[in-house]
Amino acid sequence: MLETETASATTPSLPRELQSPRAKLVYLYLTTNGDATVSEMGESLGMKKLSLYSILKTLRSEGLVDCDGDCYVPN
């Protein structure tokens, strides 16, 4: 039971506006890792770059992530 409490305490909460499972995955990846390039996310998450760019565009328009050069960072 202690493990469950610890895991839930360290898991970032998901914004309510995120409906897509893939957008949630990308958001959680960034909040866990801090920042990443599209190539790094593609390799780690097994997603195509084209899909990631679309998801990141949505996350940026919602103010959830920002782009710093080649890296995407959570807000």
Side-chain angles (χ1 to χ4, degrees), residues 19-62:
Q19 300 298 315
S20 163
R22 296 181 117 197
K24 291 176 183 180
L25 180 63
V26 171
Y27 180 78
L28 285 175
Y29 180 85
L30 287 172
T31 56
T32 302
N33 292 303
D35 68 349
T37 65
V38 172
S39 294
E40 291 169 340
M41 287 183 270
E43 290 176 22
S44 295
L45 300 174
M47 295 174 70
K48 295 183 179 186
K49 288 183 181 181
L50 189 60
S51 297
L52 283 166
Y53 280 118
S54 176
I55 291 166
L56 290 164
K57 180 181 177 182
T58 301
L59 292 175
R60 286 183 72 193
S61 70
E62 302 220 3

